[in-house]
Amino acid sequence: MKEKNDTGIFSEDQPKPLKPPDSFRKKALIKDDSLYREAEKDKLAFWSGRAEDLQWMKKWDQVLDDSNPPYYKWFVNGKLNVSVNCLDRHVDNGLGNKKAIVFEGEKGDTENLTYEQLLKEVNKFCNVLSNLGVGQGDAVTIWMPMIPEAVVAMLACTRIGAVHSVVFGGFSPDALKDRILDSKSKLLVTADGANRKGKVLTMKGAAEEALEQCPSIEKVVIAERTGTDYDVKEGRDLRWKDLMKDADENFSAAEMDAEDPLFILYSSGTTGKPKGILHTTGGYLVGVNTTHRYVFDHHDDDIYWCTADIGWITGHSYIVYGPLSNASTVFMYEGTPDYPNRDRFWELIEKYKITVFYTAPTAIRSFMRWGNHFPDGRDLSSLRLLGSVGEPINPEAWLWYFEHIGKGKCPIVDTWWQTETGMIMITPLPGVTPLKPGSATTPFPGIEVDIVDDQGNSTSPGQRGFLVIKSPWPAMLRTLYEDHERYEHTYWKQYPGIYFTGDGAWKDSDGYLWIMGRVDDVLNVSGHRIGTMEVESALVDHQSVAEAAVIGKVHEIKGHAITAFVTLKEGVEGNEELLQELKSHVGKKIGAIARPEEIFFTYELPKTRSGKIMRRLLRDIAEQRDLGDVTTLMDPQVVAAIKKGYTEK
Ligand code: WTA
């Protein structure tokens, strides 16, 4: 990230932009600025043109209805089905034998599904769901490892018109419970267990802890992954295999309205309660189909690998709906990059001749630290394009990725977007945009962003401000599930009529955008969004804790590391044992990703006279900076005490 100089202006001394390599450009889908020009001329005509690429059961009457902001409607009265666009359409076009999913498990087991086979599996699972009483508009929670059954379950929901809520497999049963309760799901799809770094984690057994408190769940379908035993609750629990054995291979896809809900995906916000981000059918599919095609320069013979988990938006948009709607061959891997060896990903790229690879900066920084000999020992020559997502990528990591993975011949698409945006918003087009390491470059065609100050005025080049989106886009969230007020408040209140992203950014004199990270109480830990309030709520949920303040401390690999300052209840002693217990407690309430890296006990938290916790001061202490003026504090002594305790640790 760029250094700020004394004036608060970001320095402009960037290296010369890197032009797309000729070898890449020659074969690129888009080689010039035609898409940008088309979108500039008429944005709605541009999106309408992209929507024409999909298969509609009935064409829309109007591209965008913006008569009731911030509730926008796209492709009004259009009818379509997402699974038909991801499956039937390709089979009908003669691509039935093309591989849709190439899967490898952590243990090296493999499975391929052609488009025809995937369609059959999806149809069978639709019949299963339908026989279990799932219909249009019903919510289905999916809590699964990274296995093809997760994709089958998602697509089957879209085919029926059920609304899926995929919960990241790494979340705890407690977090799963909250999400099931909020979405009022009727059915849970899970697995017996998951493979994780050579160990078997129980899933169904763990889900049971959640299910006890989830009365809405009528049926649980359990896929077999690890052969792990579990108790079966008669009448409720059903095995995937048994249900699929005799299921009919045909199922007629529901005709869905463009604005029917497609899925809910929970994401962290600035309160303790996660937000149920709601995406709808038509606009979302147009958005992810278009961006996947052009950002990843989709070619028919690509073997495309996005390393995200299906439980995050990146998994939804760029493992499932974007690539499959483009008839891409999607490689899917169950495990982590460091098991059994730290060259696991490079081994897979070599083995499957991956052409497009999309991962996160936190992973890239780990690869860098592990050493060049891991990628250097493998043949990565199949790669032609690299991508990055989830957090700002520092120029050093960018250059390492470019050199050691892309061997200087693969453009890197640094893609900025959010669960809320549904689709990539700021990104290079790899055959067109000259790249600057560390910048996500410019908005995708048809997307209008700006950087504004507190008053909403556009900032000048080099001046830091808030990243906003100035006009609606097809894959935008439509609301927060059953919480319109929070939707309006979170995204549309700061600048009326303009979408507030929650990110800080600046623009250089070439118009390139540099994203600085979150400006709200949301942390980005290893590319995952975690609300400080969520972790604080989990801490104060413990019987010994009186109060907690959580901050993100800058971390070399993870971006941010969770650091918690905790005051204990009267008479409780803060010892090592309690410290470990609190870490586990957060892990139990939310999941391992939210476990604080450090916890400090303190007799009081620094507060303003009005009682607001000064997180900035805690960050300064944690990052060992000068504290500046602390006279506005209720008790200026507190800071000195915390600082002393912190440095003595
Ligand atoms: C951050 C993930 C800089 C940003 C798709 C955003 C990024 C949040 C980038 C959304 C990027 C994502 N450069 N920052 N290329 N991509 N972010 O909802 O702070 O999990 O607001 O969506 O991640 O995280 P989310």
Side-chain angles (χ1 to χ4, degrees):
M1 198 158 289
K2 291 274 135 199
E3 286 298 315
K4 230 193 310 188
N5 62 28
D6 296 344
T7 59
I9 307 259
F10 287 87
S11 78
E12 290 271 336
D13 54 347
Q14 287 119 40
K16 239 175 101 174
L18 293 159
K19 291 232 171 73
D22 272 347
S23 54
F24 185 92
R25 210 178 139 259
K26 257 188 232 141
K27 295 191 197 139
L29 273 185
I30 307 293
K31 303 181 179 51
D32 55 29
D33 63 355
S34 51
L35 275 189
Y36 294 101
R37 276 190 281 125
E38 187 188 337
E40 259 162 40
K41 210 166 95 200
D42 186 343
K43 198 158 40 88
L44 295 186
F46 170 79
W47 287 119
S48 161
R50 303 291 87 80
E52 300 274 2
D53 295 336
L54 297 176
Q55 186 173 316
W56 295 78
M57 291 155 166
K58 179 184 166 289
K59 206 179 155 173
W60 55 95
D61 303 330
Q62 193 185 353
V63 180
L64 169 68
D65 174 357
D66 55 2
S67 59
N68 181 30
Y71 299 94
Y72 297 96
K73 291 182 181 158
W74 282 85
F75 307 108
V76 181
N77 294 329
K79 308 279 178 198
L80 77 168
N81 185 284
V82 166
S83 76
V84 168
N85 278 283
C86 291
L87 302 168
D88 310 54
R89 188 165 61 109
H90 308 320
V91 174
D92 294 345
N93 287 338
L95 296 175
N97 288 328
K98 181 172 180 178
K99 284 177 193 153
I101 296 180
V102 174
F103 169 79
E104 178 152 333
E106 189 177 84
K107 294 196 172 105
D109 52 310
T110 60
E111 190 181 339
N112 289 332
L113 285 166
T114 63
Y115 273 94
E116 192 172 348
Q117 288 165 331
L118 184 57
L119 173 59
K120 262 190 202 158
E121 290 301 296
V122 168
N123 274 337
K124 280 160 66 181
F125 201 60
C126 283
N127 284 305
V128 166
L129 288 176
S130 167
N131 288 338
L132 295 176
V134 174
Q136 259 185 44
D138 288 337
V140 171
T141 296
I142 299 174
W143 193 52
M144 294 185 97
M146 279 289 288
I147 53 174
E149 284 88 338
V151 181
V152 170
M154 289 166 79
L155 287 167
C157 287
T158 73
R159 196 167 183 84
I160 287 188
V163 181
H164 63 63
S165 160
V166 183
V167 177
F168 172 52
F171 274 130
S172 69
D174 244 56
L176 172 66
K177 175 200 75 185
D178 291 343
R179 287 157 176 77
I180 292 176
L181 288 177
D182 193 78
S183 65
K184 295 181 271 306
S185 289
K186 283 174 86 163
L187 188 127
L188 171 70
V189 189
T190 185
D192 52 359
N195 295 306
R196 188 83 182 168
K197 299 199 192 198
K199 294 204 190 95
V200 170
L201 308 179
T202 50
M203 266 193 119
K204 164 62 170 64
E208 209 55 63
E209 289 174 38
L211 289 169
E212 277 166 18
Q213 299 167 67
C214 295
S216 64
I217 296 284
E218 293 165 14
K219 302 283 177 195
V220 179
V221 177
I222 305 120
E224 187 180 318
R225 179 61 193 147
T226 52
T228 312
D229 259 353
Y230 51 84
D231 293 336
V232 174
K233 189 165 169 198
E234 287 304 325
R236 188 197 67 186
D237 296 351
L238 302 149
R239 289 176 204 273
W240 177 289
K241 249 197 198 153
D242 298 345
L243 294 167
M244 291 290 267
K245 204 168 54 201
D246 300 317
D248 195 329
E249 289 177 359
N250 296 297
F251 188 92
S252 133
E255 185 176 294
M256 303 305 291
D257 188 89
E259 282 300 333
D260 277 335
L262 183 65
F263 63 83
I264 305 168
L265 184 56
Y266 289 89
S267 181
S268 292
T270 50
T271 72
K273 188 174 176 286
K275 303 180 283 199
I277 291 167
L278 182 81
H279 283 285
T280 59
T281 305
Y284 173 79
L285 195 64
V286 172
V288 298
N289 176 265
T290 308
T291 46
H292 172 266
R293 186 178 329 144
Y294 296 127
V295 175
F296 298 106
D297 187 48
H298 168 68
H299 281 53
D300 288 339
D301 54 357
D302 273 332
I303 314 285
Y304 163 92
W305 183 14
C306 163
T307 68
D309 190 280
I310 215 118
W312 306 114
I313 192 67
T314 308
H316 284 57
S317 299
Y318 299 106
I319 294 178
V320 184
Y321 298 115
L324 294 181
S325 67
N326 280 315
S328 192
T329 295
V330 174
F331 175 68
M332 196 175 166
Y333 179 57
E334 182 188 30
T336 57
D338 55 349
Y339 185 86
N341 294 306
R342 286 176 166 181
D343 68 345
R344 185 67 172 123
F345 277 13
W346 321 128
E347 181 191 357
L348 291 166
I349 290 177
E350 180 180 81
K351 176 171 173 189
Y352 289 98
K353 303 199 170 17
I354 304 292
T355 58
V356 178
F357 180 67
Y358 189 30
T359 196
T362 183
I364 299 167
R365 290 192 293 265
S366 295
F367 303 148
M368 271 174 84
R369 205 189 44 175
W370 294 341
N372 300 345
H373 56 290
F374 291 112
D376 290 354
R378 294 287 177 178
D379 178 4
L380 306 181
S381 59
S382 55
L383 289 173
R384 61 179 196 88
L385 178 60
L386 302 173
S388 169
V389 62
E391 55 185 309
I393 179 164
N394 45 314
E396 193 194 355
W398 195 104
L399 288 166
W400 183 89
Y401 195 30
F402 186 72
E403 226 170 274
H404 290 276
I405 307 305
K407 313 291 179 195
K409 67 178 175 64
C410 306
I412 298 177
V413 286
D414 174 3
T415 61
W416 178 91
W417 58 296
Q418 307 178 300
T419 307
E420 291 86 342
T421 68
M423 62 188 254
I424 293 171
M425 302 292 277
I426 303 175
T427 176
L429 288 186
V432 183
T433 317
L435 304 174
K436 295 188 189 185
S439 166
T441 75
T442 56
F444 189 79
I447 302 299
E448 282 184 281
V449 312
D450 199 2
I451 297 169
V452 297
D453 62 17
D454 286 339
Q455 268 70 53
N457 304 313
S458 298
T459 55
S460 33
Q463 196 80 47
R464 181 178 178 159
F466 303 106
L467 180 68
V468 295
I469 304 171
K470 286 181 15 187
S471 58
W473 64 101
M476 67 196 297
L477 80 165
R478 298 303 195 261
T479 191
L480 294 178
Y481 183 65
E482 292 191 338
D483 202 346
H484 298 315
E485 203 184 310
R486 191 171 176 196
Y487 168 67
E488 294 180 18
H489 182 83
T490 310
Y491 307 107
W492 305 96
K493 276 274 139 71
Q494 286 83 350
Y495 309 108
I498 289 178
Y499 172 88
F500 180 67
T501 64
D503 276 10
W506 63 286
K507 202 185 232 187
D508 68 23
S509 47
D510 296 332
Y512 277 54
L513 297 159
W514 299 78
I515 314 291
M516 315 283 300
R518 306 288 309 184
V519 293
D520 53 11
D521 291 329
V522 176
L523 306 180
N524 195 326
V525 180
S526 302
H528 301 319
R529 268 165 73 168
I530 296 169
T532 48
M533 279 287 289
E534 259 175 289
V535 183
E536 287 166 7
S537 313
L539 284 166
V540 295
D541 176 76
H542 190 279
Q543 71 218 18
S544 305
V545 175
E547 213 175 12
V550 165
I551 56 144
K553 176 176 164 184
V554 172
H555 187 278
E556 200 188 333
I557 307 283
K558 298 178 175 179
H560 280 126
I562 299 176
T563 302
F565 294 84
V566 166
T567 54
L568 297 170
K569 289 193 181 146
E570 278 299 314
V572 180
E573 194 206 336
N575 53 24
E576 181 61 30
E577 198 183 330
L578 179 59
L579 201 139
Q580 292 307 331
E581 197 179 309
L582 291 181
K583 286 188 182 179
S584 309
H585 190 71
V586 177
K588 186 175 163 295
K589 294 301 288 183
I590 307 174
I593 51 165
R595 255 178 91 103
E597 183 123 331
E598 300 178 309
I599 296 182
F600 296 98
F601 297 121
T602 158
Y603 77 93
E604 180 56 287
L605 293 169
K607 291 185 188 146
T608 59
R609 297 206 174 124
S610 58
K612 204 167 168 274
I613 297 174
M614 296 278 287
R615 286 199 180 71
R616 176 183 64 78
L617 282 179
L618 293 171
R619 263 195 303 272
D620 288 343
I621 293 172
E623 289 166 10
Q624 308 194 345
R625 272 190 300 268
D626 282 346
L627 299 183
D629 183 16
V630 294
T631 50
T632 55
L633 290 181
M634 195 154 27
D635 176 359
Q637 304 295 325
V638 172
V639 180
I642 299 177
K643 199 171 172 186
K644 184 156 176 285
Y646 189 90
T647 9
E648 277 169 7
K649 270 274 161 189

